[in-house]
Amino acid sequence: MGENYFNGLPLRLQLEELSQCRFMDASEFNGVEALKGKKIVIVGCGAQGLHQGLNLRDSGLDVSYTLREAAISEKRQSWKNATENGFSVGTYETMLPGADLVINLTPDKQHTNVIEAVMPLMKKDACLSYSHGFNIVEEGMQIREDLTVIMVAPKSPGTEVREEYKRGFGVPTLIAVHRENDPRGEGFELAKAYAAGTGGHRAGVLDSSFVAEVKSDLMGEQTILCGVLQMGSILCYDKMIEQGVEAGYASKLIQYGWETITEALKHGGITNMMDRLSNPAKIKAFDLSEQLKEILAPLFNKHMDDIISGHFSKTMMEDWANDDVNLLKWRAETAETAFEKSTCTDAEIPEQEFFDKGILMIAMVKAGVELAYDTMVASGIIEESAYYESLHEVPLIANLIARKRLYEMNVVISDTAEYGCYLFAHQAVPMLEEFMKTIDTEAIGKGLETTDNSVDNVRLIQVNEAIRSTSVEEVGRILRSYMSAMKPIM
Amino acid sequence: MKIINANAHDLFVDRFEAGPGEAWCLVGTNRSGIDTFFKLLSGELPDVTAEYLELPENTGVVSFKRQQALFEEELRKDDTDYLDRIDPGTRAASFLNNPDDHGDLIKAFAMADSMDKGYRQLSTGQSRKLMLLAQITRGIESLVVQAPYEGLDRASCDELDKALAVCHQWGIQLFITVHNQGDIPNWCTHVGGIAQGRIAHAGPRTENLDQIEAILRTDAPDFKASVKELVQTGNPSGRVGTSREPGAELVRLQKGSAGYGGKPVFSGLDLSIRTHDHTLVTGPNGCGKSTLLQMIIGDHPACYQNDLRIFGIQRGTGESIWELKQHMGIVSPELHRSYHVPGTTLHCIISGLFDSIGLYQPYTPEDEKKAMEWLERTGLAHEAHTPFRRLSYADQRLVLIARALIKIPKLLILDEATQGLDEPNRQAVLDFLEQVAGEGLSTILYVSHRGDEFRSFFTSHIRM
Ligand SMILES: NC(=O)c1ccc[n+]([C@@H]2O[C@H](COP(=O)([O-])OP(=O)(O)OC[C@H]3O[C@@H](n4cnc5c(N)ncnc54)[C@H](OP(=O)(O)O)[C@@H]3O)[C@@H](O)[C@H]2O)c1
């Protein structure tokens, strides 16, 4: 394993890399021209590999796959995915030497392995691509000098990458060129063509860097995406039980609540999510989220600092090398939480009720999104990047919890996300102990008792103003307008 | 059950009565109020006022809306991103209540072999039967089914008919709605006609059948388009100006084959379509008609594994699917199911100019004008700003047909395009296509199960 790449950079370049992020204009793309007639070989045919490959082929590019020997001889699912879709598949030895662009879409944890096997077989002056930069940035993988190294990272799961393409659209995508590996200066053109081949250019592309992608991705996934929802599920459930809310109801309110409230977030940001509450409830959620932000800010800072310094990835990789002892222990503990073991009631909970009775959950989402976003921005990450890695992805994890609860959610997300999620939740739960003592069923489980909807006008105006005028809301409004099905055509 | 003087939306029911064990076939055109009556029987109409209202009890409901909702729910649960394999959807058997106790019923439905399949692996007919089984195994006393025969070939209709006849024999009270004469089943004991928002005739089958069939013959279609008017309102072609020189090759497939998961659905198929070769494709469900069309459209991976040329371009030689799709206008059950994105009816029609599902590009005032004209032709101008998804199934269909026609494409690919439409509308759409063919505006590739759609303008007929 190499040295952490980021830590080896001089401060000047660290800052430059971290802050590299520019929302590209549609006119900068010239279709797939730069990849026309080139031979593209994808390593791995899982969720990203298969669906990116289908898109690239439909865009007129020459795509085939290479898999490790065992996957081919045992006709594993990855082999079936590729062959049933009419792609040719071969071993590294047969496929790689002819490839102009090799796209590595294997699990991040395997990258060092995979690249060590793949690189010697790649032809001179070819290009190597990633969809996540962990291997380059955190593991410091050294790539042969003649090779161009790029990244094209769709900010959505594989099936969505495909579905949006079929609709004639795409998903927001981040592209980058590794500054150490761009010997002919062609990396950017190749990355743009690849992004266009997946349809990403229609939904918004960020011209960013490996470093910015990795640091922001890690920060988002371990704090607001997985960490906050894990922490919130455990705390809110235990609180309701303590207060005598019926267990089946509490279970359902949590399991499906995140999904319902973040659906509102997805369409209209924090403002819209808060607007779903009555005025008194909105003010309550606002106040709670202010308290949460004050208590949790140091923890968000610590995660950001550990990610930037490499401490996080170093300790996590030590656990990888130690047969995942910590990860598996923490995973087992998740299975034992009261929420995980609870069963949902069969009774319907109407959509609006998830908001009315989940004020604390809304406050947690608001606080988590704002803290994650602000902490990233304060560390030099550009706003657009911070948005995609925080607010944009929350509904995805919320949907996973609705379908799978915490244990399974953790199993299916990446190992880096899972490891970081536990680190965060383990710290956050005790930090909120005092705060939780002040909470009763008005905030979670039953909603506000008062039927009186009156509020002080001046206070309401202040709160509305504070909700709306944050940076994440301003950036979000613009980025969402590029992403929604009803793009700014009016 | 019994209804006296009930009022809701576009429907007034003065009197309607049905006894236990009766099997009713309700007949009407798409906008006759029959959908409202269906909702009323299903217990899904909250705002009905009535002098007397006793609805069927312990009811099972199968409707387009529920089928679409199930399809979307299954998509939401798709675990492909997290499983190490493609997720085929929920196992069929798990939709049923105690499937082990219902072996005979499942057999009577000819579904025993499908119980272990995933939802997405079922054919249209199979998934419809599964929905019926899901209801019946709950131990219902009455069953309300919307347009059960749509999209099914003769054999599947017969199978479904048998299944419904079984339900009738078991004493389940049945109500189905149909929009076409040929769909009125033999097993029904009673028929009811709905016209202009009223129950026109209702009672025992033998006494009422003739009047009820007349409704379908005499009601006017909502779809009103003529090529003459199209030419008068300006350039009939859409965005892409394309030459339509006769004899130019549009599709050429040699020794074509395709399948799923290693199982072939057809092989050794030769096909050549040149400009003005209007081609009808027929064959039973599962014979590969839709697969063939999807291959031509570029939505099935077999397009890259065959000797296939589209518009003279060999597939898999650097062309993008969007280059090809810009010359195609498409209506298919897959398209309809996939059109579950937000957007208005007007936007849906405009999206046909860009071949997208949803609208992602700026459009011009001329585009909007053209789309409004098409809305007029489908009788839906007043719904321009209604979300597409809120229209009835049949109206959605008409809009999708207009979406395919708006650019008057080189190649019109219509896979069971009239599914869900009533008799007058089906005939009106076909009349229009006949004119399109007559004027040589587009070349038509058409799949249908309905014999009365096999018009004489088709110059070739592929039986699969
Ligand atoms: N999931 C997302 O939402 C998402 C989004 C953006 C970017 N990404 C990035 O995309 C990349 C791929 O992620 P994914 O979720 O698509 O992974 P995945 O579904 O787990 O697929 C991994 C593929 O790699 C193969 N593979 C596993 N271990 C291997 C090894 N040691 N050597 C060679 N091949 C191996 C697997 O096939 P066999 O086991 O059969 O060999 C499988 O085809 C990652 O870098 C990830 O960070 C993911």
Side-chain angles (χ1 to χ4, degrees), chain A residues 43-49 67-68 71 76-78 92 104-108 110-111 113-114 131-132 153-154 156-158, chain B residues 81 84:
Chain A
V43 191
C45 193
Q48 287 293 329
L67 300 173
R68 50 181 164 177
R76 286 199 194 146
Q77 191 58 41
S78 55
Y92 293 172
N104 169 24
L105 292 173
T106 58
D108 298 301
Q110 305 297 332
H111 283 185
N113 262 331
V114 170
S131 284
H132 181 39
S156 290
Chain B
D81 285 310
D84 201 10

Side-chain angles (χ1 to χ4, degrees), chain A residues 390-434:
Chain A
S390 60
L391 195 152
H392 172 70
E393 297 203 19
V394 186
L396 287 173
I397 303 297
N399 169 269
L400 271 180
I401 293 178
R403 289 158 48 184
K404 298 176 177 296
R405 299 191 165 214
L406 297 181
Y407 178 83
E408 284 284 319
M409 176 274 279
N410 276 296
V411 171
V412 301
I413 59 180
S414 71
D415 281 1
T416 50
E418 183 179 9
Y419 193 89
C421 167
Y422 298 138
L423 288 183
F424 181 90
H426 288 161
Q427 296 289 318
V429 170
M431 283 171 95
L432 290 176
E433 199 181 322
E434 285 305 311

Side-chain angles (χ1 to χ4, degrees), chain B residues 361-438:
Chain B
Q361 282 163 68
Y363 55 85
T364 65
E366 297 89 86
D367 294 340
E368 178 168 337
K369 183 163 164 278
K370 203 171 283 166
M372 277 310 298
E373 286 163 10
W374 275 104
L375 271 176
E376 301 276 356
R377 294 181 189 120
T378 55
L380 286 168
H382 58 292
E383 305 280 16
H385 301 292
T386 306
F388 170 73
R389 306 246 295 136
R390 220 173 285 155
L391 300 179
S392 73
Y393 186 86
D395 284 344
Q396 288 183 4
R397 254 314 148 107
L398 285 179
V399 169
L400 290 178
I401 290 171
R403 175 185 177 276
L405 290 170
I406 186 171
K407 66 180 176 189
I408 307 289
K410 252 191 209 178
L411 184 59
L412 251 180
I413 301 181
L414 304 174
D415 183 358
E416 300 189 44
T418 59
Q419 193 171 308
L421 299 189
D422 60 32
E423 192 131 349
N425 277 309
R426 280 198 305 116
Q427 297 309 336
V429 168
L430 276 138
D431 289 346
F432 179 70
L433 292 178
E434 186 144 13
Q435 295 174 21
V436 168

